[in-house]
Every structure is written in structure tokens, then in C-alpha cells.
């Protein structure tokens, strides 16, 4: 399976018993609450992305510790937006290029804080690399293909799907069929083809019925 083993820079992180896991989950919930209070329009986004991401990662063969890290990273992938002015996050039109750069910089910059708060170093590379593209045209390091942590490749696709499927202040929601078509169209350019295949095999089973 492509993307396994040494491709996961967070495999060295281990969960030292249920006490640490409970601390991680408690910190995650508190940070998610902070994020959703700051950006109410995105309430539920992190949990949906986590559901898609964990199911996709399980299909790809992630072990229990990796799935736990994936859940936390996916839930908190947007945490850096708590440092962005709400007028920007709630802007009803297309954002200017410099505003997008600012948002992404804060999100990437928050990765170290998130990893420390949840006692899990493994989430940092996922959050840092979530804007990378499989073709190497992403942000911030222009990583390409399997240079991108597999967790980040999973989160990137799951975020894209959820954003497409839900109405935003600046766009209407796409139908499930149109969103899947977009993902297939961007396979091997924006998205890892193996991740696309894994996601599409589990997506019908986990999409919320109200979508």
C-alpha cells in the first residue's frame, strides 16, 4: 500500500495509556469549542472532516494510534482561524489573495500549539501540510506526492469534500454528485489517487443523511 510505514512521520508518537488519551480528547473538545465560538458558521465542519478522515485512513490501513491522531488533527485542522478576524472569516465575497495567505499562515502556524495542547506531536505534520497538493503546487512547502504526510493528504481531500457539500457565506453547496466529480477530476493533481479511491469506497457509508 502506498503511503504506509515510513511515509507517516507521526508513527513514532505513542499514546501512553488511557489517561493521556483522555487528556488529549479533553483538550481537543475545548479547542474545538473555542474555534466554533469564533467561527459559528463552520460549526460541525471539524467533526464531519474527522469522520471522513478516520474512515478513509482506516481503509488505508492506519493502526489505532494513527487513527486517534488523525481524528484529533482533522477536528482541529482549522484551529489557527481563531486568530483571524471574524470579518474576514465571514466575508460574503471571494477573499483577496493576501487574505487567503494570512488565513493559511495562521492555520499552519497553529500546528505546533495544537500538538502541544493535545499532548500528541503526531498531529503537527498533518496540520502543517494540509494545503499541499499531490502535484507539488500547494502551500507552504510545495511538497509533492509521497513527500506529503499521508495524514495531510487524507485531511486535504476530506476538507475539500465537506466544504463543497456545505453552503458557505461565499458560495452555495454542491450536490454530492458534483462534489465527487470534482474530486475525481482533481485526482493525481490536487489529491492522491490512492486516497481518492479509499475515500470514495467509504464515503457513501458515512455521509450525514441531512446532506
Amino acid at each position: 500500500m502506498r503511503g504506509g510505514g515510513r511515509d507517516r512521520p507521526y508513527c513514532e508518537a505513542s499514546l501512553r495509556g488511557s489517561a493521556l488519551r483522555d487528556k488529549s480528547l479533553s483538550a481537543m473538545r475545548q479547542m474545538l469549542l473555542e474555534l466554533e465560538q469564533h467561527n459559528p458558521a463552520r460549526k460541525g465542519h471539524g467533526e464531519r472532516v474527522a469522520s471522513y478522515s478516520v474512515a478513509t485512513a482506516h481503509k488505508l490501513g492506519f493502526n489505532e494510534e494513527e487513527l486517534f491522531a488523525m481524528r484529533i488533527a482533522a477536528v482541529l485542522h482549522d484551529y489557527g482561524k481563531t486568530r483571524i478576524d471574524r470579518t474576514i472569516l465571514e466575508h460574503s465575497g471571494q477573499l483577496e489573495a493576501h487574505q487567503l495567505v494570512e488565513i493559511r499562515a495562521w492555520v499552519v502556524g497553529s500546528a505546533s500549539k495544537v500538538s502541544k495542547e493535545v499532548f500528541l506531536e503526531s498531529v503537527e505534520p498533518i496540520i502543517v501540510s494540509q494545503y499541499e497538493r499531490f502535484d507539488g503546487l500547494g502551500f507552504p512547502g510545495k511538497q509533492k506526492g509521497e513527500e506529503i504526510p499521508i495524514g495531510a493528504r487524507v485531511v486535504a481531500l476530506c476538507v475539500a469534500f465537506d466544504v463543497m457539500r456545505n453552503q458557505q457565506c461565499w458560495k452555495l453547496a454542491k450536490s454530492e454528485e458534483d462534489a465527487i466529480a470534482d474530486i475525481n477530476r482533481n485526482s493525481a493533481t490536487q489529491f492522491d489517487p490512492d486516497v481518492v479511491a479509499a475515500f470514495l469506497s467509504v464515503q457513501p457509508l458515512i455521509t450525514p443523511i441531512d446532506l
Side-chain angles (χ1 to χ4, degrees), residues 165-185:
R165 289 289 290 120
N166 288 273
Q167 183 169 328
Q168 311 294 320
C169 57
W170 46 273
K171 73 167 191 64
L172 298 176
K174 288 189 175 183
S175 68
E176 182 176 359
E177 293 75 15
D178 286 347
I180 290 173
D182 271 6
I183 287 173
N184 279 317
R185 189 160 43 247

Side-chain angles (χ1 to χ4, degrees), residues 10-25 63-73 115 118-123:
Y10 47 88
C11 286
E12 75 281 358
S14 62
L15 301 173
R16 297 182 296 279
S18 61
L20 179 57
R21 185 179 290 244
D22 289 345
K23 285 184 177 180
S24 296
L25 289 172
N63 64 35
E64 182 182 356
E65 291 183 2
E66 293 166 343
L67 291 172
F68 184 77
M70 173 60 69
R71 179 188 176 194
I72 291 180
S115 68
V118 300
F119 312 102
L120 203 58
E121 294 178 0
S122 52
V123 305

Side-chain angles (χ1 to χ4, degrees), residues 44 54 108 141 155 189:
V54 170
V108 170
V155 168
T189 52

Side-chain angles (χ1 to χ4, degrees), residues 7-85:
D7 190 30
R8 298 177 191 162
Y10 47 88
C11 286
E12 75 281 358
S14 62
L15 301 173
R16 297 182 296 279
S18 61
L20 179 57
R21 185 179 290 244
D22 289 345
K23 285 184 177 180
S24 296
L25 289 172
S26 177
M28 179 195 75
R29 294 186 186 103
Q30 185 60 40
M31 296 173 81
L32 178 61
L33 178 63
E34 180 186 354
L35 174 59
E36 292 188 337
Q37 287 177 339
H38 184 71
N39 191 194
R42 300 300 289 274
K43 184 175 177 61
H45 170 68
E47 285 288 7
R48 291 191 301 270
V49 171
S51 295
Y52 294 136
S53 296
V54 170
T56 302
H58 185 268
K59 184 70 176 180
L60 289 168
F62 283 37
N63 64 35
E64 182 182 356
E65 291 183 2
E66 293 166 343
L67 291 172
F68 184 77
M70 173 60 69
R71 179 188 176 194
I72 291 180
V75 166
L76 298 177
H77 71 276
D78 267 347
Y79 180 74
K81 290 182 178 179
T82 58
R83 302 298 178 262
I84 301 294
D85 191 290

